[in-house]
Amino acid sequence: MNCIITVELGTYGVKVFVYSLDGQVIGSMKGHYPTFHTQPDYSEQDPEQIFITTLYVLKNVLNEYIHPKKHTVASICFCGSMHSVLAVDIKGNPLGNAITWADNRAKKEAQQLRDSPLGKKLYGETGTPIHPMSPLVKIAWLRDHDRERFASTSKFLSIKSYIIHQLTGEYMIDYSIASATGLLNIHTVNWEDDALQYAGITADKLAVVAPISSTAGNLKKAYQQSLRLPADTKILIGSSDGCLATLGDGIIKGEGKASITIEDSGAVRVMGTSVLQDEQMRFFNYLLADNYYISGGPTNNGGNIFEWFTRQFGDFIHQFDMEDSMGQLLEDATNVPTGSDGLLFMPYLLGERAPIWNANAKGAYFGINIKHERKHFIRATIEGILYEIYSIGKTLEEQRPITSLSVNGSFGTIPFCSQLIADIFNKPVQVRPQLHSVSFGAYILSATEMGVYQSLDDTAVKPAEPLHVFTPNEQHHQIYADYFRIFERLSDKLADEFEAISNLQQKYAHSDKSLTHDKP
């Protein structure tokens, strides 16, 4: 039997899925790799560790589900997180760690560019909001603050491009991840001269831009032998996790529909054949394929924040007990009234992107009184993450009406969270059977390339019908609407205090070694 493999390079780990040609999951495995926060605004990963983990998981999947049953791998499709930057030398060797989307070290460069006429011009041409997440300003930061590495760099790659290069020797970047660099003109689909000039590089310092269904040549002989795969196994360069999650939710013809992803980070997205024009530069517009744009807003603070809460306040000793602890915390949260008895949480532990685009934003609990217990803080943490998601969706509705929502990612697996989203948005929420929407989107892309579907349009009606529909509770929505107004005002009013505390954290960072930690 022919099958399709998808490789999802997420923020904190890799997931490998095996699909039959009709979209049934045959098997899956995952592996994890750490992120290093050596300073308050730094988020880095070891590219070699990511590659070794990916290879290990892929090999185990092949040995468990493919080779013993004599299946044939028709294609391997890659998907990855956006906005990473890895400098490599002329031989493709990494020059240090990769800088991830969550890294805020370039916030001063981003703010200066955002406030300039050039920043507004580049936003219109590239579709990428001007923010330290953008590889555009990350490269500019390296130019000004790490001159030796910048001068030694042969290519600036995304993590996905690096993994594909390791396997095949090709330097390629797909439309969607290229358009998330802030360096690609999404209208001409060429590297943008003004952006290149700002970053201080030429186009040959970047990978070759290619459609998401492009192949990246043959596996290197060493990996053909190691993985026991033939040389002609198709290696599809694929797309970004966000774009494929939207595709996997089946909203390619998504009039009135939006997709919410809450995994480590989060986003609210819509798909269309035109970009969203916004004078305040609050939305991204990423090119998925010719005439298809994924538009929306991202948050830095999704499931990673609830994981943070569990690490700090959950009842567990060993790492492998953490999921049980998260389950217990969620159960405790269900025993707290809607709105957490007036306790609000600002989830900005990693700064924030949409809609406030403030890299200095910090987390805070507000409204604490003597009656609040740990369970209130648990529920308030979840509600705060979802208030932020709502603030993105509410802003997005200024541009396009949204009548229904699809939820995917880790929060989509938790009925309690899906119901809260329905109540806060006051809209029905659909959760599809294939909760791993990113991988399923990669399957759709691969299957379309193989002719299973006639086109991406054709795939919109193919995903299975929603397994669960969560209907909003009007009474709960009114309570949430009251608290959200305070949440929204706090996000605005605390801007000066966010900057002040951020400056102090930077000032005293080197005197406190506890600020350096490694997240497994």
Side-chain angles (χ1 to χ4, degrees):
M1 180 176 74
N2 281 336
C3 61
I4 291 169
I5 290 180
T6 64
V7 179
E8 179 186 346
L9 301 162
T11 301
Y12 298 119
V14 57
K15 298 175 187 172
V16 178
F17 279 76
V18 184
Y19 288 91
S20 62
L21 294 191
D22 63 356
Q24 301 302 310
V25 175
I26 296 173
S28 68
M29 288 186 183
K30 60 184 179 181
H32 297 279
Y33 34 76
T35 299
F36 307 103
H37 306 287
T38 56
Q39 295 188 46
D41 284 327
Y42 282 38
S43 292
E44 298 184 345
Q45 291 179 324
D46 181 347
E48 299 284 14
Q49 195 162 13
I50 295 174
F51 179 64
I52 291 169
T53 304
T54 300
L55 206 58
Y56 175 80
V57 176
L58 180 58
K59 190 168 183 175
N60 277 297
V61 163
L62 288 164
N63 289 335
E64 178 75 22
Y65 300 107
I66 306 294
H67 297 320
K69 298 176 182 176
K70 310 293 184 187
H71 293 330
T72 299
V73 178
S75 65
I76 301 175
C77 183
F78 286 82
C79 37
S81 303
M82 293 178 274
H83 313 303
S84 58
V85 171
L86 172 66
V88 300
D89 65 16
I90 190 69
K91 295 181 179 179
N93 298 317
L95 298 170
N97 284 335
I99 305 173
T100 78
W101 59 267
D103 193 286
N104 283 326
R105 74 184 68 179
K107 58 188 179 185
K108 288 183 180 176
E109 288 79 3
Q111 191 60 52
Q112 288 172 357
L113 181 60
R114 184 180 175 88
D115 293 340
S116 71
L118 176 62
K120 291 179 180 176
K121 182 173 184 287
L122 289 178
Y123 171 71
E125 290 167 339
T126 68
T128 305
I130 309 298
H131 182 268
M133 73 172 185
S134 172
L136 170 72
V137 293
K138 285 184 169 77
I139 294 172
W141 186 94
L142 288 170
R143 177 197 63 206
D144 295 339
H145 300 278
D146 195 345
R147 295 178 182 177
E148 185 176 348
R149 177 158 47 156
F150 183 82
S152 302
T153 300
S154 176
K155 299 280 186 189
F156 293 99
L157 303 175
S158 69
I159 285 290
K160 181 161 77 73
S161 292
Y162 172 72
I163 299 298
I164 290 173
H165 176 261
Q166 287 291 90
L167 291 171
T168 69
E170 299 292 332
Y171 286 118
M172 300 179 73
I173 185 169
D174 72 82
Y175 280 0
S176 64
I177 289 194
S179 63
T181 63
L183 289 146
L184 185 80
N185 188 313
I186 58 173
H187 309 290
T188 65
V189 199
N190 292 309
W191 294 118
E192 169 57 40
D193 288 340
D194 288 338
L196 293 171
Q197 188 173 356
Y198 167 79
I201 61 173
T202 50
D204 63 341
K205 295 284 187 183
L206 302 169
V208 175
V209 182
I212 57 177
S213 57
S214 300
T215 55
N218 294 336
L219 283 170
K220 292 177 180 175
K221 284 189 178 178
Y223 300 120
Q224 293 173 29
Q225 295 168 357
S226 172
L227 299 172
R228 296 164 55 199
L229 288 173
D232 61 353
T233 303
K234 275 191 174 181
I235 307 297
L236 297 180
I237 64 171
S239 181
S240 67
D241 51 4
C243 287
L244 287 176
T246 309
L247 185 64
D249 267 350
I251 65 166
I252 192 164
K253 290 181 176 177
E255 193 68 33
K257 297 179 182 177
S259 172
I260 294 177
T261 300
I262 307 177
E263 194 64 56
D264 297 315
S265 57
V268 186
R269 307 182 189 89
V270 295
M271 184 181 283
T273 55
S274 62
V275 301
L276 299 182
Q277 304 288 346
D278 184 56
E279 285 294 319
Q280 299 180 57
M281 302 188 288
R282 293 170 297 178
F283 309 118
F284 57 70
N285 292 288
Y286 299 143
L287 182 64
L288 174 66
D290 291 336
N291 299 319
Y292 287 114
Y293 298 93
I294 306 290
S295 304
T299 172
N300 286 357
N301 305 287
N304 50 4
I305 303 306
F306 188 62
E307 186 176 324
W308 164 82
F309 185 93
T310 304
R311 286 183 186 285
Q312 307 309 318
F313 307 109
D315 295 322
F316 70 99
I317 297 175
H318 301 293
Q319 175 66 28
F320 50 79
D321 293 330
M322 187 172 171
E323 288 194 9
D324 289 341
S325 180
M326 293 176 84
Q328 184 58 54
L329 292 176
L330 283 165
E331 188 175 334
D332 291 347
T334 63
N335 296 319
V336 175
T338 299
S340 302
D341 281 332
L343 182 62
L344 284 170
F345 174 58
M346 320 296 290
Y348 308 133
L349 272 64
L350 290 167
E352 192 49 290
R353 292 184 282 179
I356 62 174
W357 294 100
N358 185 348
N360 288 320
K362 300 290 181 241
Y365 288 94
F366 180 78
I368 305 171
N369 66 46
I370 199 69
K371 292 185 177 180
H372 285 138
E373 304 172 22
R374 187 180 77 152
K375 63 184 181 182
H376 291 91
F377 286 83
I378 300 168
R379 181 159 182 142
T381 301
I382 297 169
E383 290 176 342
I385 294 168
L386 299 182
Y387 284 146
E388 178 58 20
I389 291 288
Y390 179 52
S391 69
I392 298 170
K394 192 164 167 280
T395 308
L396 200 55
E397 278 198 284
E398 295 173 12
Q399 300 277 339
R400 287 187 187 168
I402 298 172
T403 55
S404 66
L405 301 162
S406 294
V407 177
N408 60 71
S410 58
F411 272 42
T413 66
I414 305 168
F416 170 69
C417 294
S418 295
Q419 184 61 56
L420 257 61
I421 294 171
D423 293 345
I424 291 173
F425 274 78
N426 201 26
K427 299 182 191 299
V429 166
Q430 300 175 348
V431 179
R432 294 184 180 278
Q434 67 285 348
L435 290 169
H436 302 285
S437 294
V438 176
S439 297
F440 192 70
Y443 153 76
I444 287 175
L445 176 61
S446 304
T448 303
E449 176 65 14
M450 293 175 62
V452 176
Y453 303 125
Q454 296 301 310
S455 67
L456 291 181
D457 276 344
D458 187 41
T459 68
V461 296
K462 297 298 183 185
E465 289 300 309
L467 184 62
H468 298 294
V469 177
F470 296 86
T471 304
N473 180 309
E474 179 64 30
Q475 186 179 0
H476 291 176
H477 173 69
Q478 290 304 322
I479 295 171
Y480 281 130
D482 287 340
Y483 285 126
F484 178 75
R485 280 189 280 274
I486 300 175
F487 176 91
E488 201 170 32
R489 288 201 301 272
L490 282 173
S491 298
D492 181 49
K493 288 183 175 180
L494 289 175
D496 290 341
E497 307 311 321
F498 285 151
E499 182 174 2
I501 196 68
S502 181
N503 289 339
L504 286 182
Q505 289 178 357
Q506 287 288 344
K507 181 178 179 180
Y508 296 115
H510 298 294
S511 63
D512 184 358
K513 293 183 179 179
S514 67
L515 288 172
T516 300
H517 70 279
D518 178 2
K519 183 176 183 180

